[in-house]
Amino acid sequence: MPPLLDVRNLMTYFFPSSGLVKAVRGLDFTIDAGETLALVGESGCGKSMTALSLLRLVPEPGRIVEGQIFFAGNDLLHVPNEEMRRIRGNQIAMIFQEPMTSLNPVMRIGEQIAEVVRLHKGLSRSQALESAADLLHQVGIPSPGERLRDYPHQLSGGMRQRVVIAIALACDPRLLIADEPTTALDVTIQAQIMDLLRRLKGERNMATLLITHDLGVVAENADRVAIMYQGLIMEYAAVGELFAHPHHPYTSGLLACIPRLGQKHRRLATINGPNHGGPAPISFLDHCPEPFAPRHGHLPRLREVASGHLVRRWED
């Protein structure tokens, strides 16, 4: 059976007056129905821009310059705009990083959820509000009928994130894109939100693209993981395989940065970031050992080092 989502050689560039920025530089990955793929990397590596590219929501002056995005067999880059609007929120939904910017501050919670249901399902206002109350109940918000009349500022951060999840799930999407879904939440609320997403995924057999920099979240929630750096995938494997046998130095560096109970260190491990001084910028990849470092200005391709385990390195 073909994957639900099949991304091939995706490239998204920005063309500001200051010069070309290659945000996404040729990504290849797949997600099966009911599977969770985690896209992991530091801030600015292109994770969120990958998500916006999948939905064809890349802001100006950016655009997708090459690639294919097959969803349920159809290339989304060649779908008419009207059809793409029906797919967004209906078959593919997204949870954005900050719930306060995702919600309309002057619109009641119930109306915001009901608007999505009415748009995609054609329900009446009363039916849509009834569906909204049921969705709030599903995401664990108490007294959902009363909460329908609340405004976003009347809810806590965790409650607002649950509302955003309710909106994303309103039309029972086949693919959910969760972009840093626990950002700015305390640890207890983070765990509750991830438990909620895990439960809803299992109940709905929903595929998930989980975008995060938190490897602890990845270990508990993902089936496979792609490690991303400077718009490229460095390593791609099943989550257990990657944690047990990391191959790329960048992956090893990320894992080494995680503090562990019972292990005392004078200071946490760090990763050499880009050095923009001098005539040419120097990235982490320039510091890598020979099999992983650029050669003559070119980076190696992803190569299979074990079954389903891909690493960006030169052949031996």
Side-chain angles (χ1 to χ4, degrees), residues 20-261:
L20 177 66
V21 177
K22 298 181 179 180
V24 179
R25 300 165 58 192
L27 295 194
D28 296 274
F29 62 87
T30 62
I31 307 178
D32 294 325
E35 180 187 34
T36 295
L37 172 69
L39 196 57
V40 180
E42 60 195 77
S43 297
C45 73
K47 305 187 301 295
S48 295
M49 202 49 57
T50 299
L52 293 176
S53 299
L54 298 182
L55 292 169
R56 279 173 42 184
L57 292 175
V58 178
E60 292 289 342
R63 68 174 185 266
I64 298 170
V65 298
E66 193 172 326
Q68 296 172 300
I69 303 171
F70 289 101
F71 177 74
N74 297 316
D75 188 351
L76 297 183
L77 297 185
H78 293 94
V79 168
N81 289 335
E82 187 64 30
E83 177 64 19
M84 193 65 209
R85 280 192 288 270
R86 285 193 291 267
I87 291 172
R88 290 191 206 107
N90 191 7
Q91 297 187 55
I92 305 176
M94 184 166 176
I95 301 170
F96 292 90
Q97 288 189 28
E98 175 49 58
M100 204 57 190
T101 60
S102 303
L103 297 171
N104 188 330
V106 297
M107 192 174 179
R108 296 182 192 274
I109 293 300
E111 293 293 343
Q112 297 194 51
I113 303 174
E115 183 179 51
V116 176
V117 178
R118 293 174 69 185
L119 175 65
H120 290 289
K121 292 188 174 182
L123 300 183
S124 67
R125 183 176 183 275
S126 60
Q127 289 173 323
L129 286 172
E130 184 177 335
S131 178
D134 180 58
L135 284 161
L136 290 181
H137 172 71
Q138 289 183 45
V139 298
I141 291 183
S143 305
E146 298 176 19
R147 298 284 78 77
L148 290 176
R149 296 188 292 273
D150 286 347
Y151 290 95
H153 72 271
Q154 295 176 283
L155 303 178
S156 67
M159 295 277 270
R160 286 195 295 266
Q161 191 64 297
R162 289 172 186 266
V163 171
V164 171
I165 293 170
I167 292 173
L169 300 180
C171 297
D172 198 18
R174 301 175 68 184
L175 171 65
L176 176 68
I177 302 172
D179 187 2
E180 301 279 8
T182 58
T183 296
L185 301 177
D186 65 51
V187 175
T188 303
I189 303 301
Q190 284 183 22
Q192 292 175 2
I193 294 298
M194 292 312 303
D195 286 344
L196 170 64
L197 289 174
R198 190 162 51 240
R199 174 176 63 81
L200 292 171
K201 172 203 165 188
E203 292 173 356
R204 296 163 177 250
N205 192 36
M206 181 174 58
T208 305
L209 176 62
L210 175 61
I211 296 173
T212 183
H213 62 269
D214 189 330
L215 288 168
V217 168
V218 172
E220 294 182 1
N221 296 278
D223 300 300
R224 288 184 296 138
V225 56
I227 302 295
M228 196 169 176
Y229 180 74
Q230 290 188 342
L232 290 164
I233 289 177
M234 297 292 114
E235 191 160 0
Y236 184 68
V239 66
E241 166 70 12
L242 184 130
F243 275 74
H245 306 290
H247 281 258
H248 198 280
Y250 184 68
T251 307
S252 300
L254 287 180
L255 293 172
C257 290
I258 303 172
R260 290 172 171 80
L261 291 174

